[in-house]
């Protein structure tokens, strides 16, 4: 026995060191997970998890959601806060992921597509919501603190759809720049809720990445709704002289062609303004919403895609009651919008 140990002692010691090293690495790796990655993993494990209703947190959550997906998807949804509540039940497909983020511009949408490509996640169908910001030169490709860590993935994907030969994939290190500005770690994992004990004042992510909204009747009083409407109207009025940005037209055209060549089916979606905002801002007289509608309609016809929605709520049979806070559609209305129901 002693001879055996002396003969294999060095190998035994090396094996023990290796085991300790692997264990330490495992502990370390678990310890450095950000709150957003832990919640994404928890959601992907089938839990409903707490969400900050914050644009930056949403981007890190959705990026970590993509990072930790271990399978391809049938259908994805990408867009702004209008699409956040769209669920697998709404689209009638359990293999679905909602990858929308609040306050998304066109750069954010491209960033998500770049992340999917870098993590080699395939999908057969995409629901792509586009808004006036997506085609406004002053906003479409704005780089800001919320999306800064992910722009390299979007810039890489712009090379992909432009036909650049062998574009170099960026390093997958977006969490390195994450600063936990929000002290919500106690809430995230310890409160993995079931659908039967949700706090009506809170926001949550479902396992498919869609957002369960807080109760609008409890959060949004008439003053809040009116203040929201006035802010939206002021922003829209600034767009009255604006026409579609040439770079946005080029990028969305290349996206449409890329999806067609990949055999991916597209549903373009435009979300409406509330009736009050649409009327008060005078959107029916603006060039930009009409140009966007005509552009997406033409792309849909060219490639056999589906086109849903309108900036005009009356075209969709929507009333003020379909809007949660004077701006965003409630979940039932989002489902109707994407399905084309009236």
């Amino acid at each position: 026995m002693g001879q055996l140990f002396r003969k294999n002692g060095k190998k035994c010691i090396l094996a023990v060191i290796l085991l300790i090293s692997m264990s330490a690495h495992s502990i370390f790796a678990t310890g450095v997970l950000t709150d957003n990655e832990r919640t994404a993993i928890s959601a992907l494990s089938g839990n409903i998890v707490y969400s900050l209703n914050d644009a930056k947190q949403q981007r890190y959550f959705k990026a970590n959601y993509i990072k930790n997906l271990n399978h391809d998807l049938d259908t994805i949804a990408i867009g702004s806060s209008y699409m956040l509540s769209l669920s697998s039940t709404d689209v009638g497909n359990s293999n679905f992921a909602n990858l929308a983020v609040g306050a998304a511009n066109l750069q954010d949408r491209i960033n998500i597509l770049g992340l999917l490509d870098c993590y080699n996640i395939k999908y057969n169908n995409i629901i792509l919501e586009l808004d006036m910001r997506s085609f406004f030169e002053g906003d479409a490709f704005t780089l800001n603190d919320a999306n800064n860590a992910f722009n390299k993935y979007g810039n890489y994907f712009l090379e992909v759809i432009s036909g650049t030969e062998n574009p170099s994939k960026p390093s997958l290190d977006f969490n390195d720049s994450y600063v936990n500005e929000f002290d919500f770690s106690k809430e995230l994992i310890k409160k993995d809720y079931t659908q039967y004990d949700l706090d009506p004042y809170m926001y949550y992510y479902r396992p498919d990445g869609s957002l369960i909204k807080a109760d609008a009747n409890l959060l949004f009083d008439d003053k809040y709704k009116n203040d929201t409407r006035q802010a939206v109207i002021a922003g829209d009025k600034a767009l009255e002289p604006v026409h579609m940005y040439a770079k946005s037209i080029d990028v969305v055209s290349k996206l449409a062609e890329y999806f067609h060549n990949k055999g991916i089916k597209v549903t373009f979606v435009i979300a409406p303004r509330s009736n009050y905002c649409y009327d008060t801002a005078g959107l029916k007289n603006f060039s930009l919403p009409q140009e966007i509608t005509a552009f997406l309609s033409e792309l849909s016809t060219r490639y056999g895609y589906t086109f849903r929605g309108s900036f005009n709520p009356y075209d969709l049979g929507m009333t003020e009651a379909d809007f949660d806070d004077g701006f965003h559609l409630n979940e039932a209305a989002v489902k109707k919008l994407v399905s084309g129901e009236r």
Side-chain angles (χ1 to χ4, degrees), residues 35-104:
D35 290 338
N36 280 295
E37 183 159 12
R38 291 191 295 116
T39 45
I41 292 169
S42 184
L44 285 164
S45 298
N47 295 312
I48 291 173
V49 295
Y50 174 64
S51 162
L52 282 179
N53 192 29
D54 173 87
K56 188 172 182 179
Q57 190 264 349
Q58 287 172 4
R59 282 157 178 76
Y60 276 94
F61 174 83
K62 294 299 172 75
N64 278 300
Y65 190 94
I66 293 168
K67 174 183 176 181
N68 289 283
L69 268 171
N70 58 7
H71 60 86
D72 292 335
L73 297 160
D74 183 74
T75 303
I76 61 172
I78 293 178
S80 66
S81 53
Y82 269 118
M83 291 291 103
L84 279 171
S85 68
L86 187 70
S87 70
S88 56
T89 301
D90 294 334
V91 299
N93 191 322
S94 60
N95 192 16
F96 165 81
N98 186 319
L99 303 174
V101 293

Side-chain angles (χ1 to χ4, degrees), residues 102-174:
N105 59 10
L106 188 53
Q107 180 72 40
D108 284 303
R109 291 164 170 83
I110 300 297
N111 290 352
I112 291 290
L113 291 167
L115 280 163
L116 287 164
D117 187 277
C118 286
Y119 281 103
N120 199 33
I121 303 298
K122 303 294 192 300
Y123 45 93
N124 300 318
N125 304 278
I126 179 171
I127 299 165
L128 180 58
E129 182 257 337
L130 295 165
D131 55 8
M132 285 188 280
R133 296 182 66 211
S134 302
F135 294 92
F136 171 43
E137 181 176 359
D139 212 354
F141 295 94
T142 299
L143 309 182
N144 52 53
D145 185 53
N147 65 17
N148 186 56
F150 310 106
N151 295 325
K152 61 185 178 182
Y153 308 106
N155 294 337
Y156 154 77
F157 196 69
L158 288 174
E159 292 186 20
V160 171
I161 64 175
S162 296
T164 302
E165 189 173 350
N166 299 319
S168 179
K169 288 188 177 183
S171 57
L172 300 172
D173 58 358
F174 57 85

Side-chain angles (χ1 to χ4, degrees), residues 81-82 203 213 215-217 219-234 236 271-281 283 311 313 318-331 333:
S81 53
Y82 269 118
Y203 292 82
K213 295 182 179 181
D215 190 326
N217 294 322
L219 287 191
F220 309 128
D221 58 19
D222 289 341
K223 181 181 183 306
Y224 182 96
K225 290 180 180 180
N226 185 60
D227 289 346
T228 301
R229 292 186 187 112
Q230 297 310 316
V232 172
I233 291 166
D236 281 352
R273 286 293 188 261
S274 73
N275 304 66
Y276 180 86
C277 291
Y278 184 83
D279 293 337
T280 307
L283 279 177
F311 293 108
M318 299 284 186
T319 69
E320 204 68 25
D322 291 304
F323 295 83
D324 268 342
D325 55 3
F327 177 49
H328 294 99
L329 292 167
N330 60 43
E331 186 169 346

Side-chain angles (χ1 to χ4, degrees), residues 150-256:
F150 310 106
N151 295 325
K152 61 185 178 182
Y153 308 106
N155 294 337
Y156 154 77
F157 196 69
L158 288 174
E159 292 186 20
V160 171
I161 64 175
S162 296
T164 302
E165 189 173 350
N166 299 319
S168 179
K169 288 188 177 183
S171 57
L172 300 172
D173 58 358
F174 57 85
N175 279 323
D176 290 353
S177 60
Y178 178 74
V179 178
N180 188 8
E181 299 174 358
F182 316 104
D183 185 17
F184 62 113
S185 57
K186 293 180 180 178
E187 298 289 337
L188 290 176
I189 298 301
K190 293 180 181 177
K191 291 188 177 180
D192 290 333
Y193 290 87
T194 69
Q195 292 206 23
Y196 302 102
D197 51 18
L198 299 184
D199 187 329
Y201 290 93
M202 296 292 196
Y203 292 82
Y204 301 92
Y205 292 116
R206 297 182 183 93
D208 62 14
S210 61
L211 195 71
I212 300 175
K213 295 182 179 181
D215 190 326
N217 294 322
L218 295 176
L219 287 191
F220 309 128
D221 58 19
D222 289 341
K223 181 181 183 306
Y224 182 96
K225 290 180 180 180
N226 185 60
D227 289 346
T228 301
R229 292 186 187 112
Q230 297 310 316
V232 172
I233 291 166
D236 281 352
K237 283 186 174 180
L239 299 176
E240 184 171 5
V242 172
H243 294 276
M244 291 175 68
Y245 182 30
K247 182 177 178 180
S248 296
I249 295 172
D250 179 61
V251 167
V252 175
S253 297
K254 287 176 178 174
L255 271 180

